[in-house]
Amino acid sequence: MDGGNIIMGRGTDIDACRAARLARVLVDTNDSVGTLATVFPADHSSLAGRPFALMEYYASCHTNGSLSFIFMPISQNNRNILHSEGHAATFTIAAHPAKASNARVALMGNVTVIKETSPETDVMWSSGEIEKCFLERHPDARWWIPGKKPAHTAYWARFDPTTIYYVGGFGSEHYIGFIPIELYQQAGDLSPTGGELRIQVDPRRT
């Protein structure tokens, strides 16, 4: 055991670097559906502090590992995000088929809702690059695209991971534990993208 990481007969630095690459491949190349988890706010009438999780479409459109998704305020997860300090949430993404010997990763971080553009967000969000990237992974989402008069109010959102926990499979054979965020962000240069557009995030925001 090393700082919360289970490392069986492997070098810590080498193992973490390899795990970071494998985690990025998993996030970047799977079906782009994860489990989004949040917590009910403290003022909820009956479920304060209780966890809540549902499947959510995402797209890995950023070179640093941030995720894009469609944020609908009607969603319970998204209401929880808006009421949480720092707009906190967790995305969990698993390899298929889901079984103990396959990899899974939990991305803990914060959500930024893009309600209006600015010089900082114009290139990324107003030019349609995020929409193109997202629809390449989820063509059926064209009916919910922000700005296209969807059935419910919708915005683009960016999920920025701050903490990564990776389970490569069985502890005796694979890395299990935390991955330094810097390794995860940099590993995108080495992971395949399946033809997706990748967008560089301002490093001051990572």
Side-chain angles (χ1 to χ4, degrees):
M1 194 68 115
D2 177 28
N5 299 335
I6 301 173
I7 302 170
M8 309 295 286
R10 296 170 181 267
T12 304
D13 293 338
I14 295 174
D15 213 33
C17 289
R18 182 171 184 271
R21 293 195 297 272
L22 293 173
R24 284 298 299 270
V25 170
L26 175 60
V27 171
D28 293 352
T29 63
N30 82 337
D31 58 7
S32 296
V33 179
T35 300
L36 178 61
T38 59
V39 174
F40 282 96
D43 60 357
H44 194 277
S45 60
S46 60
L47 296 172
R50 298 288 295 273
F52 180 83
L54 282 175
M55 305 297 282
E56 185 74 45
Y57 279 1
Y58 74 86
S60 181
C61 303
H62 302 278
T63 57
N64 73 337
S66 292
L67 307 179
S68 300
F69 70 103
I70 295 175
F71 188 99
M72 294 186 181
I74 195 174
S75 157
Q76 183 62 60
N77 255 332
N78 293 337
R79 292 202 298 270
N80 291 349
I81 288 170
L82 290 175
H83 283 87
S84 71
E85 183 176 356
H87 292 176
T90 295
F91 263 100
T92 300
I93 298 158
H96 297 294
K99 56 182 182 179
S101 59
N102 281 348
R104 53 271 196 197
V105 63
L107 312 177
M108 293 156 271
N110 308 99
V111 174
T112 298
V113 182
I114 311 299
K115 291 187 175 181
E116 57 185 31
T117 60
S118 68
E120 185 178 49
T121 62
D122 277 346
V123 173
M124 291 170 52
W125 303 94
S126 296
S127 65
E129 291 181 333
I130 293 295
E131 178 180 329
K132 177 183 177 182
C133 172
F134 195 87
L135 288 178
E136 284 180 354
R137 301 313 302 265
H138 305 291
D140 58 315
R142 65 186 183 279
W143 305 111
W144 320 321
I145 293 298
K148 306 292 185 180
K149 297 184 178 180
H152 301 288
T153 300
Y155 305 103
W156 287 114
R158 187 186 67 242
F159 173 79
D160 297 313
T162 57
T163 304
I164 312 295
Y165 191 85
Y166 178 76
V167 178
F170 294 118
S172 61
E173 301 175 6
H174 304 98
Y175 183 91
I176 298 178
F178 292 97
I179 296 173
I181 186 62
E182 295 83 6
L183 292 181
Y184 179 80
Q185 291 175 334
Q186 295 165 6
D189 293 336
L190 302 175
S191 66
T193 63
E196 294 175 31
L197 176 69
R198 306 309 295 281
I199 300 167
Q200 181 67 51
V201 173
D202 186 337
R204 294 171 297 180
R205 298 181 58 81
T206 60

